[in-house]
Amino acid sequence: MARAGGMLNKAGFYLVQSREQKLRLGMLEDPIINVVDEILFQAIVARASDIHVHLQQEALIIRLRIDGVLQLFQEITSEQALQVLARFKILANLDVSDARLPQDGKCAVLILLNGAEKIVDLRFATMPSVNGEKLLIRILDTAQHFLSLDTLGLSSVQEAILLRLMQMPYGLILTTGPTGAGKTTTLYALLATINAYERQVVTLEDPVEYTIPGIVQSQVNPKIGFSFEQGLRAMLRQDPDVMMIGEIRDRISAQIAMEASLTGHLVLSTLHTKDAIGSIIRLREMGIDAYLLTAALTAILGQRIVRRLCAHCKVADLPTEQEAMLFEQIGRNVVKLWRPHGCALCFNTGYYGRVGIYELCLISDSLRDGILKHYSLTELLNIAKQQGFVSFLVDGFEKVVAGVVSFDELMRIID
């Protein structure tokens, strides 16, 4: 793929080097190329998930989303702003001359880090605004985001249950939570536990974020008429044992997922709700009949994602009176908590990486009876608690006590 300026390695990936690397090799290029390469390099090194590039009247603002939180990275002067933005668009094969309409593009880059090569996919999306063009660059680092099940933050009990469920021949397993809660990451981790040579695994995603060896992954494309509904029906004609549907969006996709689980398929999908039990109410509101819900639904994994305390600089502290009272409400007597501090490794934030907070609800006979009787959210939650259901708050408190998560960070994501 042709690029304006910059370097390609033998495999055709765009080679991104830091200013320091280029100086050492005597390979400094055009100043604009150097600026863009430095932004990309530092963002990848910092484990950023997104780069926000916003053209404003006086400058080009560069922000990085690191561990789920946006941070100002750089302000580029108005003299270079348009050129830097144009350079980003060239990398993604976007129309540099058109700032009036949204555009999407992508490219793969290669960086040299600690003597090793690292390939990273970049997804570009522009949007016109009153102050100037806005560009989002999503960094898809397979090594960073494609995680195994035992690294997500699940308890040993939750992990063991999920591994057992993944061996079932049929059923519907949902992961639920708000946007950015890591639902798709969990689905990928679950699929990675399957022997793809013994079971036919087919996915329908929008878009495919990471490829998994041995499974069939498909991506919707409305531009050519390949809709979500059409893709769901095509999946069923591929003799699947396991189906992964990127998201249940409406009544049609919910009904197809549930009918598939009743006809001998193990189905995995995501749903946008606040918590696990709330998913039952949401599906009911979509128009799914209670009898179909009770027959198809196997388990719901509610999840949130929080910043992990930096292990190198976290500091021990006494709990406040309010913190101690909250722990007492769940029967815990805590004498020490860990707080963020900040060091060079975590860019002085006190946090490094992220971890999941989970609640796993198994659909028992008692819950099925409650669904058929159209019990309220509170009534269903009470049934689940009687059967050992562990809420977000309890799971989060356990991670606070263990020094994995700070108390303030947990409170930030708990409703």
Side-chain angles (χ1 to χ4, degrees):
M1 187 177 292
R3 306 277 185 211
M7 297 178 60
L8 295 175
N9 76 337
K10 292 180 181 179
F13 296 108
Y14 179 72
L15 181 61
V16 171
Q17 294 174 294
S18 68
R19 179 178 176 80
E20 181 182 340
Q21 288 173 330
K22 290 180 179 181
L23 282 171
R24 191 164 54 245
L25 297 172
M27 297 170 56
L28 280 178
E29 302 177 275
D30 177 89
I32 300 301
I33 293 177
N34 292 332
V35 168
V36 169
D37 285 4
E38 183 72 11
I39 292 169
L40 293 174
F41 185 89
Q42 295 300 335
I44 294 168
V45 169
R47 303 172 294 105
S49 59
D50 303 274
I51 305 172
H52 288 253
V53 183
H54 193 184
L55 181 61
Q56 298 186 350
Q57 292 181 351
E58 299 180 357
L60 190 68
I61 308 299
I62 311 292
R63 294 182 297 167
L64 306 181
R65 189 176 294 280
I66 302 174
D67 295 331
V69 177
L70 273 176
Q71 302 177 28
L72 178 64
F73 175 72
Q74 188 177 355
E75 293 187 15
I76 296 171
T77 62
S78 57
E79 290 79 13
Q80 290 186 319
L82 287 174
Q83 293 172 284
V84 170
L85 185 57
R87 175 61 187 167
F88 277 123
K89 294 175 74 172
I90 287 170
L91 285 176
N93 280 338
L94 303 180
D95 186 348
V96 177
S97 64
D98 190 355
R100 302 166 301 168
L101 295 172
Q103 299 184 65
D104 295 309
K106 61 182 178 179
C107 76
V109 301
L110 181 144
I111 72 168
L112 304 175
L113 191 60
N114 299 323
E117 293 186 347
K118 185 183 185 75
I119 297 172
V120 178
D121 290 327
L122 304 178
R123 303 277 175 87
F124 297 74
T126 70
M127 181 176 179
S129 76
V130 292
N131 291 322
E133 202 164 13
K134 169 72 169 59
L135 169 66
L136 175 71
I137 306 170
R138 175 142 294 176
I139 301 173
L140 300 178
D141 183 347
T142 303
Q144 178 181 335
H145 294 285
F146 187 59
L147 305 175
S148 60
L149 199 62
D150 60 357
T151 62
L152 298 181
L154 294 158
S155 70
S156 57
V157 173
Q158 290 169 336
E159 184 179 340
I161 292 172
L162 288 171
L163 285 171
R164 175 174 59 81
L165 293 178
M166 290 303 295
Q167 300 307 311
M168 292 178 61
Y170 55 85
L172 175 60
I173 302 171
L174 293 178
T175 62
T176 185
T179 301
K183 299 185 294 295
T184 303
T185 299
T186 300
L187 290 187
Y188 279 128
L190 288 171
L191 290 179
T193 68
I194 295 174
N195 185 333
Y197 295 100
E198 295 180 356
R199 301 168 79 186
Q200 170 78 343
V201 183
V202 183
T203 77
L204 181 64
E205 306 171 57
D206 184 19
V208 172
E209 294 189 9
Y210 304 106
T211 56
I212 305 175
I215 75 173
V216 179
Q217 293 176 265
S218 184
Q219 179 172 303
V220 298
N221 189 348
K223 292 181 180 178
I224 61 171
F226 184 42
S227 66
F228 209 78
E229 182 180 352
Q230 186 179 10
L232 288 173
R233 300 194 185 283
M235 289 176 76
L236 292 169
R237 295 193 290 270
Q238 291 300 312
D239 186 31
D241 297 299
V242 182
M243 298 168 59
M244 191 272 265
I245 301 167
E247 180 186 349
I248 288 180
R249 303 181 173 192
D250 49 32
R251 183 179 179 276
I252 293 175
S253 55
Q255 188 128 357
I256 292 175
M258 293 191 180
E259 289 174 353
S261 75
L262 294 176
T263 54
H265 307 88
L266 180 62
V267 182
L268 283 66
S269 191
T270 70
L271 190 66
H272 284 281
T273 59
K274 290 170 57 177
D275 49 42
I277 305 298
S279 298
I280 297 171
I281 307 300
R282 176 77 182 102
L283 290 166
R284 185 192 295 169
E285 291 172 346
M286 280 183 175
I288 302 300
D289 292 328
Y291 78 88
L292 189 57
L293 265 175
T294 57
L297 201 53
T298 303
I300 308 169
L301 181 70
Q303 62 182 85
R304 303 291 175 85
I305 195 164
V306 296
R307 292 180 294 173
R308 186 190 292 266
L309 278 167
C310 177
H312 290 80
C313 66
K314 64 181 181 181
V315 293
D317 191 16
L318 294 174
T320 65
E321 184 177 342
Q322 181 185 13
E323 290 168 343
M325 286 176 59
L326 285 171
F327 275 96
E328 286 175 7
Q329 290 177 12
I330 63 165
R332 293 297 301 268
N333 181 24
V334 62
V335 296
K336 178 178 68 175
L337 294 180
W338 294 90
R339 314 283 187 193
H341 180 65
C343 64
L345 181 68
C346 63
F347 297 93
N348 292 313
T349 64
Y351 300 95
Y352 189 93
R354 294 196 284 176
V355 65
I357 306 292
Y358 299 96
E359 54 181 31
L360 178 59
C361 176
L362 297 177
I363 308 302
S364 63
D365 289 340
S366 296
L367 272 175
R368 290 188 177 94
D369 184 58
I371 294 170
L372 287 171
K373 293 177 179 176
H374 296 279
Y375 279 7
S376 67
L377 176 62
T378 302
E379 291 171 319
L380 293 174
L381 182 58
N382 288 335
I383 292 173
K385 286 181 177 178
Q386 290 169 10
Q387 298 171 351
F389 174 74
V390 176
S391 69
F392 282 132
L393 192 61
V394 175
D395 185 57
F397 276 169
E398 293 298 329
K399 290 181 172 69
V400 170
V401 172
V404 176
V405 177
S406 73
F407 182 87
D408 289 343
E409 180 68 6
L410 176 63
M411 291 298 101
R412 183 178 69 85
I413 61 97
I414 294 294
D415 296 325

